[in-house]
Amino acid sequence: MNINYLVSSISRQPAKPREPHNLFKDTSKMESPTSDASLKEQLKSTFVGKTLDQVPTPSVILDLAKLETNCNGMLEATKKLGLLWRAHIKTHKTTELTRLQVGNDKSTPVNIVVSTIIEAENILPLLKEYQSKGRKVNVLFSFPLFPSAASRLADLSAQLGPDSISLMIDHPDQLVSAATIAHTTGAYPPLVFIKIDGGYHRAGVQPSPSFATGESTQGDSSHPSEVLIDAVLEAEKQNKCVLHGVYIHAGHSYGTRTDWAALGYLAQEFQICLDFAEAIRKRSPGHKLVLSVGATPTATTIQHPSIISSGDNNNNNNNGDSSVQKLKEFITAQSKRENPFSLEVHAGVYSTLDLQQLATHARDSSLLKADDIAISVLAEIASLYPSRGKNSTTEALINAGCLALGREPVTDKGSIPGVDYSGWGFLMPWGGNLTSNPTPGPDFPRVHPGWQVGKVSQEHGILVWDGKPEDEIPLQYGQRVRIWPNHSCIAGACFDWYLIVDSRSKGREDEVVDVWPRWRGW
């Protein structure tokens, strides 16, 4: 993080400050911080106590109340089910939200996933803090290992100790880089997850068809998955790595559009991992392995009332009952095995949520609704274009384009293309007359009336009205709006910090209570 640049950026005075937006009157005395901690303190002194009407736009906002609810939901569900939990921190890239994701139960390990090494390097002080309190820590670098990553990962291994670093492997050649880490002075043999392609086709080795039938035996096939297993086990014998488990990510579960349908994908993830792990044990009997499954749609389905409750529950939604039963039987069967596999769930964007997640209907509306989205982008209306929109409705220019909101769509899965929501963000019902803006409901993304971002370019966003012209809610020049983004990981990427509010503070819901610096880079 370029601290000097960040401080100078918040210290610059507007040419002609105008109340109430003259935020930086006292920042001329700010000194260049020497650490992220001092940066945070200077940011807090600048912003804490201000309201969202008094901060620069665009800004990215997180609601602490909603973050805590989302994070606690996963911690409670995994604990009740006896599952291991691994929190992905790539969505937010902050120390503060990582704390919420891993919780404060000293009896549980701190297992996290990172997508970039800079995330691991920046979270290092927190991990050392947890180690000092007796919690085991492990960081999984989730991108399949590439050569230039080895030296930085070796340094992390040396600082955190044995079994602290895990790698993602989906090709035998990557084991050369894994060996580099193991042979680095002060470092330790890394743990290895074999990454499985479960149908998303982004990364991972495709399982041999023989795994599903149980016919796989050592040396009976040249299938890439079997070659990879043999290579990893051989590297393990040579003390170059430790085969820790298998890992799968059902990214295609983002395409579900009915309540609890993602449960079916979760069951598939577990079964694919089980078949793959059994193939490993045929080569290495009794090998301890972790089956790590998840994507936010699949992982959050473990919160289904019938899964986390004990005994009969007559008050829950019956959707997904077949998959519920399969999952419960799977977990029970593993627990009763003489040498069971450890079951782990991983997810990341569940903590903030976004419109992509809302569209999946991974859970029903009792557990997943628009008001659960913890992230929003604050913007201002810079111009109005009466009658320019569909059916002579108004369009409005905001100062948040694709650099503030991202340009990832909510995939159109509708039976008639072009009918479902296709915008780049949806206005929260917030601020003045916009409190009546329709909220995406149980029929989203098929039904999506209200103000939304219809077009984006680099810095420009265009608000469009979807609905009857006579129902259009008037907008004003200079009006501030908050936008739920399609994909929160991308929406935060160009910001250097999050402004934190807490919707539990009645009458002060828009007051900044904290500032969380965000790591950027690779």
Side-chain angles (χ1 to χ4, degrees), residues 59-294:
S59 288
V60 62
I61 315 299
L62 293 178
D63 187 328
L64 182 60
K66 297 175 183 181
L67 294 173
E68 290 183 355
T69 297
N70 295 338
C71 290
N72 289 340
M74 285 305 299
L75 290 170
E76 292 167 3
T78 51
K79 184 175 183 178
K80 285 182 178 180
L81 294 172
L83 303 175
L84 297 174
W85 166 240
R86 188 176 291 270
H88 209 319
I89 68 173
K90 68 162 185 157
T91 295
H92 53 89
K93 295 179 169 63
T94 69
T95 297
E96 295 86 349
L97 187 42
T98 301
R99 286 186 186 274
L100 297 181
Q101 288 184 282
V102 301
N104 54 16
D105 184 346
K106 294 181 180 180
S107 67
T108 61
V110 176
N111 295 326
I112 64 172
V113 194
V114 299
S115 286
T116 59
I117 300 176
I118 201 168
E119 295 164 45
E121 291 168 339
N122 276 277
I123 205 62
L124 183 63
L126 180 62
L127 296 179
K128 288 184 174 180
E129 175 190 321
Y130 285 133
Q131 285 182 324
S132 71
K133 297 177 180 178
R135 295 180 74 176
K136 294 182 178 180
V137 304
N138 181 266
V139 181
L140 169 60
F141 179 47
S142 66
F143 201 94
L145 185 61
F146 48 91
S148 65
S151 61
R152 292 167 70 187
L153 291 168
D155 182 62
L156 289 165
S157 172
Q159 294 193 63
L160 288 173
D163 300 334
S164 60
I165 299 298
S166 295
L167 308 176
M168 200 78 81
I169 299 295
D170 66 1
H171 192 280
D173 290 354
Q174 296 158 357
L175 294 168
V176 175
S177 297
T180 299
I181 297 172
H183 295 156
T184 299
T185 302
Y188 300 87
L191 306 185
V192 163
F193 279 97
I194 294 179
K195 176 67 179 288
I196 303 172
D197 179 0
Y200 189 41
H201 302 326
R202 182 174 69 181
V205 63
Q206 291 183 295
S208 168
S210 66
F211 292 175
T213 62
E215 297 174 356
S216 174
T217 57
Q218 187 173 13
D220 73 347
S221 172
S222 61
H223 191 278
S225 60
E226 307 217 33
V227 172
L228 179 59
I229 291 173
D230 293 338
V232 173
L233 289 172
E234 181 60 30
E236 184 177 53
K237 289 180 183 177
Q238 299 175 20
N239 205 34
K240 296 177 181 177
C241 66
V242 176
L243 177 54
H244 187 61
V246 294
Y247 184 104
I248 194 168
H249 171 74
H252 45 311
S253 65
Y254 279 54
T256 63
R257 292 293 182 266
T258 57
D259 291 355
W260 301 111
L263 264 171
Y265 286 91
L266 181 64
Q268 290 174 19
E269 285 184 297
F270 269 126
Q271 188 61 53
I272 292 171
C273 283
L274 177 63
D275 293 342
F276 206 110
E278 296 286 16
I280 294 172
R281 279 197 174 169
K282 285 190 175 182
R283 292 160 166 78
S284 180
H287 201 301
K288 291 185 177 180
L289 293 168
V290 174
L291 314 186
S292 189
V293 304

Side-chain angles (χ1 to χ4, degrees), residues 30 58 95 237 265 315 318 384 424 455 460:
M30 290 176 67
T95 297
K237 289 180 183 177
Y265 286 91
N315 298 318
N318 290 326
L384 297 163
W424 305 104
K455 293 180 284 187
H460 301 65

Side-chain angles (χ1 to χ4, degrees), residues 32-46:
S32 178
T34 57
S35 67
D36 281 358
S38 58
L39 169 65
K40 178 179 174 70
E41 289 308 309
Q42 293 195 41
L43 288 169
K44 287 175 65 176
S45 68
T46 300

